[in-house]
Amino acid sequence: MNTKMAKKMILIYAIATLTALNADPLETSPGCIRPIKPVKFTNNNQVEQFNAESQRYKTCIDTFIAQHKENIQRSTDAINNTIKEWNSFVTTTNTKKDSPFPIQGKTGISEGGSHNVGYRDPTQFTTGFSF
């Protein structure tokens, strides 16, 4: 392996490692503090405090949901881009006898992205390989 290629490999490894270290672990609970409603409000300050705590709780829940929806979209985009990359490789392979099979989405349409492969269940796609 020449020096230029070795430097490229080290750079790729470093980027992959840093990306993995910066990845957020999947949070399964929002960790929001649920307000406790008094049995009976005795003054207006208690009502205002409860309403403020309720609003913070709602904001926390909304933020948690928005972050997970964003993660779902990033995962879907990554899957679709990977499928496009694979299919591009397949179409540029010259020999039909040795060419790999294109990946197809759940609907059987080649070329991920045009049909939101994985949007409902990112694990549901076929590679065309049989084991």
Side-chain angles (χ1 to χ4, degrees), residues 56-80:
R56 280 191 295 273
Y57 182 58
K58 181 184 183 314
T59 301
C60 180
I61 295 288
D62 288 343
T63 301
F64 178 81
I65 291 168
Q67 287 171 343
H68 277 271
K69 284 183 177 181
E70 184 179 320
N71 289 341
I72 289 169
Q73 187 60 52
R74 280 199 315 255
S75 293
T76 300
D77 292 345
I79 289 169
N80 288 333

PDB file of all heavy atoms in Angstrom, residues 56-80:
ATOM      1  N   ARG A  56     -44.136  23.701  30.558  1.00  0.00           N
ATOM      2  CA  ARG A  56     -42.767  23.182  30.452  1.00  0.00           C
ATOM      3  C   ARG A  56     -42.784  21.684  30.140  1.00  0.00           C
ATOM      4  O   ARG A  56     -41.986  21.200  29.337  1.00  0.00           O
ATOM      5  CB  ARG A  56     -41.988  23.446  31.748  1.00  0.00           C
ATOM      6  CG  ARG A  56     -41.465  24.858  31.868  1.00  0.00           C
ATOM      7  CD  ARG A  56     -40.475  25.009  33.012  1.00  0.00           C
ATOM      8  NE  ARG A  56     -41.067  24.800  34.324  1.00  0.00           N
ATOM      9  CZ  ARG A  56     -41.662  25.748  35.046  1.00  0.00           C
ATOM     10  NH1 ARG A  56     -41.732  26.983  34.584  1.00  0.00           N
ATOM     11  NH2 ARG A  56     -42.170  25.475  36.227  1.00  0.00           N
ATOM     12  N   TYR A  57     -43.704  20.968  30.766  1.00  0.00           N
ATOM     13  CA  TYR A  57     -43.836  19.528  30.526  1.00  0.00           C
ATOM     14  C   TYR A  57     -44.212  19.263  29.068  1.00  0.00           C
ATOM     15  O   TYR A  57     -43.625  18.422  28.396  1.00  0.00           O
ATOM     16  CB  TYR A  57     -44.886  18.955  31.476  1.00  0.00           C
ATOM     17  CG  TYR A  57     -45.118  17.472  31.385  1.00  0.00           C
ATOM     18  CD1 TYR A  57     -44.078  16.567  31.592  1.00  0.00           C
ATOM     19  CD2 TYR A  57     -46.384  16.965  31.122  1.00  0.00           C
ATOM     20  CE1 TYR A  57     -44.294  15.193  31.533  1.00  0.00           C
ATOM     21  CE2 TYR A  57     -46.615  15.604  31.055  1.00  0.00           C
ATOM     22  CZ  TYR A  57     -45.567  14.723  31.264  1.00  0.00           C
ATOM     23  OH  TYR A  57     -45.799  13.370  31.202  1.00  0.00           O
ATOM     24  N   LYS A  58     -45.188  20.020  28.554  1.00  0.00           N
ATOM     25  CA  LYS A  58     -45.614  19.866  27.152  1.00  0.00           C
ATOM     26  C   LYS A  58     -44.464  20.190  26.205  1.00  0.00           C
ATOM     27  O   LYS A  58     -44.235  19.476  25.231  1.00  0.00           O
ATOM     28  CB  LYS A  58     -46.815  20.761  26.854  1.00  0.00           C
ATOM     29  CG  LYS A  58     -47.320  20.622  25.420  1.00  0.00           C
ATOM     30  CD  LYS A  58     -48.434  21.601  25.139  1.00  0.00           C
ATOM     31  CE  LYS A  58     -49.006  21.454  23.754  1.00  0.00           C
ATOM     32  NZ  LYS A  58     -48.079  21.345  22.668  1.00  0.00           N
ATOM     33  N   THR A  59     -43.738  21.263  26.476  1.00  0.00           N
ATOM     34  CA  THR A  59     -42.602  21.650  25.636  1.00  0.00           C
ATOM     35  C   THR A  59     -41.544  20.551  25.626  1.00  0.00           C
ATOM     36  O   THR A  59     -40.982  20.215  24.569  1.00  0.00           O
ATOM     37  CB  THR A  59     -41.995  22.980  26.130  1.00  0.00           C
ATOM     38  OG1 THR A  59     -43.009  23.991  26.078  1.00  0.00           O
ATOM     39  CG2 THR A  59     -40.797  23.387  25.285  1.00  0.00           C
ATOM     40  N   CYS A  60     -41.271  19.969  26.787  1.00  0.00           N
ATOM     41  CA  CYS A  60     -40.299  18.879  26.892  1.00  0.00           C
ATOM     42  C   CYS A  60     -40.748  17.678  26.053  1.00  0.00           C
ATOM     43  O   CYS A  60     -39.954  17.107  25.298  1.00  0.00           O
ATOM     44  CB  CYS A  60     -40.124  18.485  28.352  1.00  0.00           C
ATOM     45  SG  CYS A  60     -38.943  17.139  28.635  1.00  0.00           S
ATOM     46  N   ILE A  61     -42.014  17.310  26.153  1.00  0.00           N
ATOM     47  CA  ILE A  61     -42.562  16.185  25.389  1.00  0.00           C
ATOM     48  C   ILE A  61     -42.496  16.490  23.884  1.00  0.00           C
ATOM     49  O   ILE A  61     -42.058  15.651  23.085  1.00  0.00           O
ATOM     50  CB  ILE A  61     -44.029  15.895  25.801  1.00  0.00           C
ATOM     51  CG1 ILE A  61     -44.106  15.422  27.254  1.00  0.00           C
ATOM     52  CG2 ILE A  61     -44.686  14.894  24.855  1.00  0.00           C
ATOM     53  CD1 ILE A  61     -43.593  14.050  27.522  1.00  0.00           C
ATOM     54  N   ASP A  62     -42.902  17.696  23.497  1.00  0.00           N
ATOM     55  CA  ASP A  62     -42.874  18.091  22.078  1.00  0.00           C
ATOM     56  C   ASP A  62     -41.450  18.042  21.523  1.00  0.00           C
ATOM     57  O   ASP A  62     -41.229  17.603  20.394  1.00  0.00           O
ATOM     58  CB  ASP A  62     -43.449  19.486  21.889  1.00  0.00           C
ATOM     59  CG  ASP A  62     -44.965  19.542  22.074  1.00  0.00           C
ATOM     60  OD1 ASP A  62     -45.614  18.471  22.032  1.00  0.00           O
ATOM     61  OD2 ASP A  62     -45.495  20.653  22.264  1.00  0.00           O
ATOM     62  N   THR A  63     -40.472  18.499  22.312  1.00  0.00           N
ATOM     63  CA  THR A  63     -39.075  18.486  21.888  1.00  0.00           C
ATOM     64  C   THR A  63     -38.591  17.055  21.692  1.00  0.00           C
ATOM     65  O   THR A  63     -37.920  16.745  20.701  1.00  0.00           O
ATOM     66  CB  THR A  63     -38.193  19.216  22.925  1.00  0.00           C
ATOM     67  OG1 THR A  63     -38.655  20.556  23.047  1.00  0.00           O
ATOM     68  CG2 THR A  63     -36.731  19.205  22.524  1.00  0.00           C
ATOM     69  N   PHE A  64     -38.928  16.184  22.625  1.00  0.00           N
ATOM     70  CA  PHE A  64     -38.546  14.772  22.537  1.00  0.00           C
ATOM     71  C   PHE A  64     -39.103  14.147  21.252  1.00  0.00           C
ATOM     72  O   PHE A  64     -38.383  13.479  20.504  1.00  0.00           O
ATOM     73  CB  PHE A  64     -39.070  14.020  23.763  1.00  0.00           C
ATOM     74  CG  PHE A  64     -38.775  12.543  23.768  1.00  0.00           C
ATOM     75  CD1 PHE A  64     -37.537  12.070  24.164  1.00  0.00           C
ATOM     76  CD2 PHE A  64     -39.740  11.625  23.381  1.00  0.00           C
ATOM     77  CE1 PHE A  64     -37.262  10.709  24.183  1.00  0.00           C
ATOM     78  CE2 PHE A  64     -39.475  10.268  23.392  1.00  0.00           C
ATOM     79  CZ  PHE A  64     -38.234   9.808  23.794  1.00  0.00           C
ATOM     80  N   ILE A  65     -40.373  14.401  20.976  1.00  0.00           N
ATOM     81  CA  ILE A  65     -41.019  13.853  19.784  1.00  0.00           C
ATOM     82  C   ILE A  65     -40.360  14.407  18.522  1.00  0.00           C
ATOM     83  O   ILE A  65     -40.059  13.656  17.585  1.00  0.00           O
ATOM     84  CB  ILE A  65     -42.532  14.149  19.804  1.00  0.00           C
ATOM     85  CG1 ILE A  65     -43.213  13.329  20.903  1.00  0.00           C
ATOM     86  CG2 ILE A  65     -43.176  13.862  18.444  1.00  0.00           C
ATOM     87  CD1 ILE A  65     -44.635  13.737  21.208  1.00  0.00           C
ATOM     88  N   ALA A  66     -40.111  15.707  18.482  1.00  0.00           N
ATOM     89  CA  ALA A  66     -39.495  16.330  17.305  1.00  0.00           C
ATOM     90  C   ALA A  66     -38.101  15.757  17.044  1.00  0.00           C
ATOM     91  O   ALA A  66     -37.738  15.494  15.887  1.00  0.00           O
ATOM     92  CB  ALA A  66     -39.422  17.843  17.495  1.00  0.00           C
ATOM     93  N   GLN A  67     -37.325  15.547  18.110  1.00  0.00           N
ATOM     94  CA  GLN A  67     -35.987  14.983  17.942  1.00  0.00           C
ATOM     95  C   GLN A  67     -36.055  13.573  17.374  1.00  0.00           C
ATOM     96  O   GLN A  67     -35.262  13.201  16.502  1.00  0.00           O
ATOM     97  CB  GLN A  67     -35.239  14.978  19.275  1.00  0.00           C
ATOM     98  CG  GLN A  67     -34.801  16.354  19.719  1.00  0.00           C
ATOM     99  CD  GLN A  67     -34.256  16.360  21.134  1.00  0.00           C
ATOM    100  OE1 GLN A  67     -34.466  15.432  21.907  1.00  0.00           O
ATOM    101  NE2 GLN A  67     -33.565  17.433  21.495  1.00  0.00           N
ATOM    102  N   HIS A  68     -36.991  12.774  17.856  1.00  0.00           N
ATOM    103  CA  HIS A  68     -37.112  11.410  17.350  1.00  0.00           C
ATOM    104  C   HIS A  68     -37.610  11.384  15.901  1.00  0.00           C
ATOM    105  O   HIS A  68     -37.168  10.554  15.109  1.00  0.00           O
ATOM    106  CB  HIS A  68     -37.997  10.563  18.270  1.00  0.00           C
ATOM    107  CG  HIS A  68     -37.235  10.023  19.436  1.00  0.00           C
ATOM    108  ND1 HIS A  68     -36.577   8.827  19.396  1.00  0.00           N
ATOM    109  CD2 HIS A  68     -36.973  10.546  20.651  1.00  0.00           C
ATOM    110  CE1 HIS A  68     -35.961   8.616  20.540  1.00  0.00           C
ATOM    111  NE2 HIS A  68     -36.189   9.656  21.315  1.00  0.00           N
ATOM    112  N   LYS A  69     -38.518  12.290  15.555  1.00  0.00           N
ATOM    113  CA  LYS A  69     -38.960  12.373  14.162  1.00  0.00           C
ATOM    114  C   LYS A  69     -37.790  12.761  13.259  1.00  0.00           C
ATOM    115  O   LYS A  69     -37.648  12.238  12.156  1.00  0.00           O
ATOM    116  CB  LYS A  69     -40.102  13.383  14.015  1.00  0.00           C
ATOM    117  CG  LYS A  69     -41.437  12.863  14.512  1.00  0.00           C
ATOM    118  CD  LYS A  69     -42.539  13.871  14.279  1.00  0.00           C
ATOM    119  CE  LYS A  69     -43.881  13.311  14.702  1.00  0.00           C
ATOM    120  NZ  LYS A  69     -44.979  14.265  14.462  1.00  0.00           N
ATOM    121  N   GLU A  70     -36.937  13.666  13.738  1.00  0.00           N
ATOM    122  CA  GLU A  70     -35.754  14.061  12.963  1.00  0.00           C
ATOM    123  C   GLU A  70     -34.801  12.878  12.802  1.00  0.00           C
ATOM    124  O   GLU A  70     -34.250  12.659  11.725  1.00  0.00           O
ATOM    125  CB  GLU A  70     -35.050  15.221  13.660  1.00  0.00           C
ATOM    126  CG  GLU A  70     -33.877  15.775  12.896  1.00  0.00           C
ATOM    127  CD  GLU A  70     -33.221  16.933  13.621  1.00  0.00           C
ATOM    128  OE1 GLU A  70     -33.944  17.771  14.198  1.00  0.00           O
ATOM    129  OE2 GLU A  70     -31.984  16.995  13.607  1.00  0.00           O
ATOM    130  N   ASN A  71     -34.625  12.107  13.874  1.00  0.00           N
ATOM    131  CA  ASN A  71     -33.770  10.915  13.793  1.00  0.00           C
ATOM    132  C   ASN A  71     -34.328   9.903  12.800  1.00  0.00           C
ATOM    133  O   ASN A  71     -33.574   9.277  12.051  1.00  0.00           O
ATOM    134  CB  ASN A  71     -33.618  10.264  15.165  1.00  0.00           C
ATOM    135  CG  ASN A  71     -32.764  11.092  16.102  1.00  0.00           C
ATOM    136  OD1 ASN A  71     -32.013  11.956  15.676  1.00  0.00           O
ATOM    137  ND2 ASN A  71     -32.901  10.841  17.393  1.00  0.00           N
ATOM    138  N   ILE A  72     -35.642   9.736  12.793  1.00  0.00           N
ATOM    139  CA  ILE A  72     -36.279   8.815  11.846  1.00  0.00           C
ATOM    140  C   ILE A  72     -36.014   9.283  10.416  1.00  0.00           C
ATOM    141  O   ILE A  72     -35.665   8.489   9.544  1.00  0.00           O
ATOM    142  CB  ILE A  72     -37.800   8.697  12.113  1.00  0.00           C
ATOM    143  CG1 ILE A  72     -38.052   7.929  13.405  1.00  0.00           C
ATOM    144  CG2 ILE A  72     -38.518   8.039  10.937  1.00  0.00           C
ATOM    145  CD1 ILE A  72     -39.495   7.997  13.885  1.00  0.00           C
ATOM    146  N   GLN A  73     -36.171  10.590  10.182  1.00  0.00           N
ATOM    147  CA  GLN A  73     -35.946  11.120   8.835  1.00  0.00           C
ATOM    148  C   GLN A  73     -34.492  10.951   8.416  1.00  0.00           C
ATOM    149  O   GLN A  73     -34.213  10.575   7.274  1.00  0.00           O
ATOM    150  CB  GLN A  73     -36.358  12.601   8.757  1.00  0.00           C
ATOM    151  CG  GLN A  73     -36.309  13.146   7.345  1.00  0.00           C
ATOM    152  CD  GLN A  73     -37.235  12.391   6.398  1.00  0.00           C
ATOM    153  OE1 GLN A  73     -38.411  12.221   6.663  1.00  0.00           O
ATOM    154  NE2 GLN A  73     -36.694  11.918   5.281  1.00  0.00           N
ATOM    155  N   ARG A  74     -33.544  11.211   9.330  1.00  0.00           N
ATOM    156  CA  ARG A  74     -32.123  11.031   8.991  1.00  0.00           C
ATOM    157  C   ARG A  74     -31.832   9.570   8.676  1.00  0.00           C
ATOM    158  O   ARG A  74     -31.078   9.264   7.748  1.00  0.00           O
ATOM    159  CB  ARG A  74     -31.236  11.518  10.139  1.00  0.00           C
ATOM    160  CG  ARG A  74     -31.058  13.017  10.165  1.00  0.00           C
ATOM    161  CD  ARG A  74     -29.861  13.455  10.987  1.00  0.00           C
ATOM    162  NE  ARG A  74     -29.711  12.798  12.258  1.00  0.00           N
ATOM    163  CZ  ARG A  74     -29.984  13.329  13.443  1.00  0.00           C
ATOM    164  NH1 ARG A  74     -30.423  14.554  13.512  1.00  0.00           N
ATOM    165  NH2 ARG A  74     -29.799  12.647  14.547  1.00  0.00           N
ATOM    166  N   SER A  75     -32.418   8.654   9.446  1.00  0.00           N
ATOM    167  CA  SER A  75     -32.219   7.227   9.176  1.00  0.00           C
ATOM    168  C   SER A  75     -32.808   6.843   7.824  1.00  0.00           C
ATOM    169  O   SER A  75     -32.187   6.100   7.059  1.00  0.00           O
ATOM    170  CB  SER A  75     -32.863   6.375  10.277  1.00  0.00           C
ATOM    171  OG  SER A  75     -32.195   6.565  11.496  1.00  0.00           O
ATOM    172  N   THR A  76     -33.997   7.334   7.538  1.00  0.00           N
ATOM    173  CA  THR A  76     -34.639   7.050   6.254  1.00  0.00           C
ATOM    174  C   THR A  76     -33.800   7.591   5.105  1.00  0.00           C
ATOM    175  O   THR A  76     -33.582   6.897   4.106  1.00  0.00           O
ATOM    176  CB  THR A  76     -36.053   7.669   6.219  1.00  0.00           C
ATOM    177  OG1 THR A  76     -36.820   7.109   7.281  1.00  0.00           O
ATOM    178  CG2 THR A  76     -36.744   7.389   4.896  1.00  0.00           C
ATOM    179  N   ASP A  77     -33.306   8.813   5.253  1.00  0.00           N
ATOM    180  CA  ASP A  77     -32.453   9.398   4.213  1.00  0.00           C
ATOM    181  C   ASP A  77     -31.175   8.585   4.034  1.00  0.00           C
ATOM    182  O   ASP A  77     -30.731   8.357   2.904  1.00  0.00           O
ATOM    183  CB  ASP A  77     -32.103  10.845   4.558  1.00  0.00           C
ATOM    184  CG  ASP A  77     -33.294  11.782   4.492  1.00  0.00           C
ATOM    185  OD1 ASP A  77     -34.339  11.390   3.911  1.00  0.00           O
ATOM    186  OD2 ASP A  77     -33.189  12.904   5.036  1.00  0.00           O
ATOM    187  N   ALA A  78     -30.581   8.137   5.150  1.00  0.00           N
ATOM    188  CA  ALA A  78     -29.357   7.337   5.064  1.00  0.00           C
ATOM    189  C   ALA A  78     -29.617   6.026   4.345  1.00  0.00           C
ATOM    190  O   ALA A  78     -28.816   5.585   3.509  1.00  0.00           O
ATOM    191  CB  ALA A  78     -28.799   7.078   6.466  1.00  0.00           C
ATOM    192  N   ILE A  79     -30.738   5.389   4.647  1.00  0.00           N
ATOM    193  CA  ILE A  79     -31.090   4.131   3.977  1.00  0.00           C
ATOM    194  C   ILE A  79     -31.284   4.369   2.487  1.00  0.00           C
ATOM    195  O   ILE A  79     -30.732   3.647   1.653  1.00  0.00           O
ATOM    196  CB  ILE A  79     -32.364   3.518   4.604  1.00  0.00           C
ATOM    197  CG1 ILE A  79     -32.063   2.975   5.991  1.00  0.00           C
ATOM    198  CG2 ILE A  79     -32.949   2.417   3.707  1.00  0.00           C
ATOM    199  CD1 ILE A  79     -33.303   2.599   6.781  1.00  0.00           C
ATOM    200  N   ASN A  80     -32.056   5.398   2.144  1.00  0.00           N
ATOM    201  CA  ASN A  80     -32.329   5.676   0.735  1.00  0.00           C
ATOM    202  C   ASN A  80     -31.056   6.041  -0.024  1.00  0.00           C
ATOM    203  O   ASN A  80     -30.855   5.601  -1.159  1.00  0.00           O
ATOM    204  CB  ASN A  80     -33.377   6.779   0.601  1.00  0.00           C
ATOM    205  CG  ASN A  80     -34.756   6.299   1.001  1.00  0.00           C
ATOM    206  OD1 ASN A  80     -35.063   5.118   0.897  1.00  0.00           O
ATOM    207  ND2 ASN A  80     -35.573   7.201   1.475  1.00  0.00           N
TER     208      ASN A  80
END
